[in-house]
């Protein structure tokens, strides 16, 4: 189940995983798409990107874009011989710009969450491989937590397109969803969010990205989590106290003050 019609193929063009909405294409086209985008039929373009062990291919409906480009070309030819208003051309360019801007935002979302997308691919592969009941539950828990991050992180990108200063409550919503998923799978969680007003996009992104990096590292043995987000003289700060036997000392995050307290206790 996915919002886009995507498939994962190996180097030989064999389909390993397929979304419900994926367009069927023969192996020759799938192999060709590994090198360049391919127009398959009725304005459907097949594109790909490399992942570990193969490629992700997806289809895009570019018929509207092609139609608009055709309209734009026809309008230009018409204007060469007649003195008419530029309103029609402007409207077409505006719609074309909208589509190109939308594509830019989607690419930005993909680039900024590509590590988590690859992580989700790997988790799903392990789930499909027939893990035992206990392992399945752990994999599903991690999938839920990482998916919540991808969803909320992309929402912040959308919000930042209109205004670089974002209401601080949006960060609270991010923590809410991530922590709810952790709680559902047995992690004891509590947090205090004491930030009001607005935050710049890079501040909000920084806090949520660090939170996710720590959770992903500690997740397999995480049993409890307490989080505090607030302001001090230096700006916004976040404190996390968690119980996990994972070695968090290997985390290389700028300005992160990490302290191992008792055995398996971290701040």
């Amino acid at each position: 189940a996915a919002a886009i019609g995507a498939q994962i193929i190996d180097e030989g063009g064999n389909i390993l995983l397929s979304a419900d909405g994926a367009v069927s294409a023969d192996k020759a086209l799938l192999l060709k798409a590994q090198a360049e985008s391919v127009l398959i039929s009725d304005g459907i373009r097949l594109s790909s990107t490399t992942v570990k062990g193969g490629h992700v291919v997806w289809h895009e409906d570019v018929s509207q874009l092609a139609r608009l480009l055709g309209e734009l070309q026809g309008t230009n030819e018409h204007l060469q011989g007649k003195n008419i208003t530029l309103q029609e051309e402007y409207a077409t360019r505006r719609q074309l710009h909208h589509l190109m801007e939308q594509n830019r935002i989607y690419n930005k979302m993909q680039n900024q969450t590509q590590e988590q997308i690859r992580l989700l691919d790997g988790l799903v592969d392990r789930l499909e491989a027939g893990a035992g009941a206990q392992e399945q539950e752990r994999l599903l828990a991690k999938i839920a937590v990482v998916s919540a991050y991808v969803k909320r992180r992309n929402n912040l990108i959308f919000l930042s397109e209109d205004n670089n200063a974002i209401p601080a409550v949006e960060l609270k919503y991010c923590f809410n969803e991530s922590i709810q998923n952790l709680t559902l799978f047995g992690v004891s969680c509590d947090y205090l969010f004491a930030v009001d007003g607005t935050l710049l996009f890079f501040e909000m992104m920084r806090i949520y990205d660090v939170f996710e990096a720590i959770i992903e590292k500690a997740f397999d043995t995480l049993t409890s989590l307490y989080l505090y987000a607030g302001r001090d003289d230096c700006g916004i700060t976040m404190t996390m106290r968690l119980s996990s036997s994972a070695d968090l000392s290997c985390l290389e995050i700028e300005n992160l003050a990490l302290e191992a307290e008792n055995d398996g206790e971290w701040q």
Side-chain angles (χ1 to χ4, degrees):
I4 60 174
Q7 295 174 315
I8 298 177
I9 62 174
D10 61 19
E11 297 292 348
N14 300 303
I15 298 173
L16 306 179
L17 290 172
S18 180
D20 289 338
V23 172
S24 298
D26 58 37
K27 185 180 292 187
L29 286 174
L30 293 175
L31 290 172
K32 186 176 180 181
Q34 293 179 13
E36 59 182 358
S37 295
V38 180
L39 195 63
I40 51 179
S41 65
D42 299 327
I44 302 299
R45 182 174 65 191
L46 196 64
S47 303
S48 76
T49 188
T50 302
V51 294
K52 183 178 180 181
H55 299 265
V56 173
V57 295
W58 66 92
H59 72 270
E60 302 167 284
D61 186 353
V62 296
S63 58
Q64 188 180 12
L65 189 61
R67 177 182 63 79
L68 288 170
L69 288 172
E71 288 181 6
L72 186 59
Q73 183 178 1
T75 300
N76 287 334
E77 293 173 354
H78 189 62
L79 289 175
Q80 289 177 3
K82 295 184 179 181
N83 182 19
I84 61 173
T85 178
L86 296 178
Q87 183 177 358
E88 184 178 355
E89 181 182 3
Y90 170 76
T92 303
R93 286 186 180 275
R94 183 177 180 181
Q95 191 173 3
L96 179 61
H97 175 75
H98 171 74
L99 290 173
M100 295 175 68
E101 182 69 8
Q102 188 178 59
N103 188 59
R104 181 190 67 80
I105 294 174
Y106 286 147
N107 286 337
K108 183 178 180 181
M109 290 165 53
Q110 183 180 18
N111 290 336
Q112 293 194 16
T113 58
Q114 59 182 337
E115 289 187 15
Q116 280 70 34
I117 292 173
R118 283 196 291 266
L119 175 58
L120 286 172
D121 287 341
L123 294 171
V124 171
D125 285 344
R126 290 165 60 186
L127 195 63
E128 296 275 348
Q134 186 174 359
E135 176 71 0
Q136 282 186 359
E137 183 175 354
R138 190 182 65 82
L139 289 172
L140 286 171
K142 198 164 188 176
I143 288 171
V145 172
V146 177
S147 296
Y149 167 79
V150 172
K151 168 190 169 184
R152 283 295 173 182
R153 186 64 165 72
N154 287 339
N155 184 60
L156 293 181
I157 293 174
F158 271 120
L159 293 173
S160 70
E161 290 295 313
D162 293 329
N163 194 339
N164 193 41
I166 304 173
V169 70
E170 292 293 340
L171 181 58
K172 182 178 181 180
Y173 296 153
C174 293
F175 287 143
N176 270 344
E177 188 157 352
S178 293
I179 288 175
Q180 282 175 5
N181 281 319
L182 287 170
T183 303
L184 285 174
F185 291 95
V187 179
S188 176
C189 299
D190 193 13
Y191 80 103
L192 175 62
F193 189 84
V195 184
D196 54 12
T198 61
L199 293 172
L200 295 177
F201 171 67
F202 83 89
E203 294 177 311
M204 197 170 289
M205 175 187 68
R206 161 78 171 163
I207 290 292
Y208 197 36
D209 286 354
V210 171
F211 168 84
E212 178 67 15
I214 294 172
I215 293 299
E216 288 180 12
K217 185 67 177 177
F219 184 85
D220 289 339
T221 56
L222 183 63
T223 57
S224 68
L225 167 69
Y226 172 75
L227 179 144
Y228 168 79
R231 294 185 189 269
D232 60 16
D233 294 339
C234 298
I236 184 171
T237 62
M238 176 176 66
T239 300
M240 296 174 65
R241 298 178 63 90
L242 49 94
S243 297
S244 172
S245 60
D247 182 13
L248 303 185
S249 62
C250 62
L251 285 169
E252 297 181 358
I253 300 175
E254 185 180 0
N255 295 329
L256 174 66
L258 185 66
E259 180 181 348
E261 297 184 331
N262 300 319
D263 186 26
E265 299 292 325
W266 299 87
Q267 175 168 299

